[in-house]
Amino acid sequence: QLTPDFYARTCPRLKFTVRDAMRQAVQREPRMAASILRLFFHDCFVNGCDGSILLDDTATFTGEQNAFPNRNSVRGFEVIDAIKARVEAACAATVSCADVLALAARDGVELVGGPSWRVALGRRDARTASQAQANSDLPSPFANLSTLISMFAAKGLNARDMTVLSGAHTLGFAQCSLFRTRIHNETNIDPSFAASRRLTCPLSGGDSNLAALDATPNRFDNSYYRKLVARRGLLHSDQELFNGGSQDGLVRTYSFNMAAFAGDFAAAMVKMGNISPLTGTAGEIRTTCGAVN
Ligand code: HEM
Ligand SMILES: [Ca+2]
Ligand SMILES: [Ca+2]
């Protein structure tokens, strides 16, 4: 069982160390709040929040970083490594990489205007990772609503959790290849939005050109939901949340009620952070997040 004061005696300044490092990272690059939040999601959805995504591939080890949803896409590893180095300097061999990531994700959200929540701690780090699991368990931006609901249900998260956690797309950017078919072929899209996105994401070329996931990619607000209601969702999977289905009402609520979004998001993040952690003597406390001890 995870608990917020897990390191109260063994690493009393942990929270401040992580917070301070995240403040610097976000100051250097505001997008880092988004990137670290996504790293945490991609960790928790693959064998639980066990730091598995942080393990680098080597000649003899195939991890998760090159799974399709992650390759040339997830980022921020160097920030987690740097935070972990500071934590090791203060409290050697004590705090897991999985917990560092959980704290950093929370701090990033708060630093860009989002809600805060108490992070339960005591996760331990995996000695393994699974590229196959990452390929099968992480949702695709081309997924429809029922697939999204069932992929989250497989992790113990209900449809409401899925819809509010997707609000993470109030932060950050996506690459053209992941929203091209939406802006060129789909009809449930605001025409002027589609036209303006096509300028930097043509039918061919520009695969890695970035577009913001909402109107304010460096601000944790409810613009994401307002855009969905305006049929300006960037990813196909985003617009699935407001396309005449079961989540329309909730999207509408969040589009005009920031407090409801903020409160529900915080609660759902705690839930996501509890997905099958390694505890007790399972796993290890990794010294360096990129490699097993
Ligand atoms: C509902 C299913 C989801 C799908 C299909 C999905 C898919 C994607 C895709 C395709 C991107 C762009 C990646 C790229 O262009 O390289 C992205 C970005 C992002 N996702 Fe999701 N996502 C989902 C849910 C979530 C959740 C639950 C979170 C966190 C709680 C999250 C956080 C983010 C963030 C913050 C970014 C921007 C990252 C950055 O700019 O570095 N996503 N997502
Ligand atoms: Ca994991
Ligand atoms: Ca935003």
Side-chain angles (χ1 to χ4, degrees):
Q1 203 57 28
L2 305 178
T3 154
D5 53 13
F6 188 82
Y7 301 108
R9 272 179 303 196
T10 54
C11 199
R13 294 196 43 80
L14 173 64
K15 288 191 280 209
F16 308 104
T17 307
V18 175
R19 169 68 49 109
D20 192 54
M22 275 304 286
R23 185 178 294 118
Q24 289 172 13
V26 171
Q27 203 161 328
R28 209 177 310 123
E29 189 199 6
R31 186 186 178 191
M32 200 47 74
S35 303
I36 299 295
L37 176 58
R38 185 165 187 243
L39 265 188
F40 184 51
F41 165 49
H42 283 205
D43 182 19
C44 292
F45 260 57
V46 182
N47 286 322
C49 313
D50 61 357
S52 57
I53 194 174
L54 303 173
L55 291 171
D56 299 324
D57 283 19
T58 67
T60 54
F61 177 84
T62 302
E64 296 166 15
Q65 293 179 7
N66 286 302
F68 287 112
N70 292 334
R71 188 190 326 201
N72 298 121
S73 182
V74 286
R75 58 200 294 282
F77 296 107
E78 68 294 339
V79 169
I80 297 302
D81 290 343
I83 299 175
K84 173 65 168 169
R86 285 207 214 176
V87 171
E88 281 297 300
C91 335
T94 302
V95 181
S96 67
C97 294
D99 279 344
V100 166
L101 181 54
L103 286 167
R106 187 272 310 269
D107 290 342
V109 167
E110 194 181 1
L111 284 162
V112 294
S116 192
W117 56 91
R118 273 158 67 84
V119 177
L121 300 166
R123 298 170 190 81
R124 291 169 62 86
D125 295 321
R127 291 200 181 86
T128 57
S130 171
Q131 184 173 107
Q133 200 78 5
N135 280 323
S136 67
D137 290 11
L138 292 168
S140 153
F142 308 109
N144 63 23
L145 181 60
S146 64
T147 299
L148 294 171
I149 290 174
S150 61
M151 291 187 85
F152 277 67
K155 304 295 168 186
L157 299 170
N158 61 34
R160 290 182 67 94
D161 297 327
M162 187 278 292
T163 296
V164 77
L165 288 171
S166 297
H169 290 176
T170 185
L171 299 177
F173 300 83
Q175 305 177 60
C176 166
S177 57
L178 300 170
F179 60 83
R180 175 180 283 126
T181 53
R182 167 150 176 76
I183 61 170
H184 288 275
N185 303 338
E186 296 185 359
T187 52
N188 62 342
I189 188 166
D190 173 68
S192 70
F193 173 71
S196 87
R197 284 297 163 272
R198 282 186 221 122
L199 296 176
T200 51
C201 185
L203 262 179
S204 78
D207 281 12
S208 59
N209 290 354
L210 294 176
L213 284 157
D214 80 351
T216 51
N218 295 326
R219 197 75 207 153
F220 196 101
D221 54 13
N222 63 347
S223 153
Y224 172 74
Y225 297 104
R226 283 187 267 118
K227 294 295 150 188
L228 295 187
V229 171
R231 303 206 301 177
R232 289 170 165 241
L234 185 65
L235 305 176
H236 173 83
S237 54
D238 290 327
Q239 199 61 56
E240 280 289 302
L241 305 182
F242 189 85
N243 193 35
S246 63
Q247 301 305 295
D248 282 20
L250 190 57
V251 168
R252 244 186 236 289
T253 299
Y254 293 148
S255 75
F256 56 71
N257 190 339
M258 178 62 201
F261 169 44
D264 290 357
F265 184 82
M269 284 297 295
V270 171
K271 229 170 136 176
M272 188 177 87
N274 280 324
I275 299 175
S276 45
L278 297 172
T279 57
T281 54
E284 64 182 18
I285 301 297
R286 235 178 264 154
T287 318
T288 305
C289 295
V292 297
N293 291 345

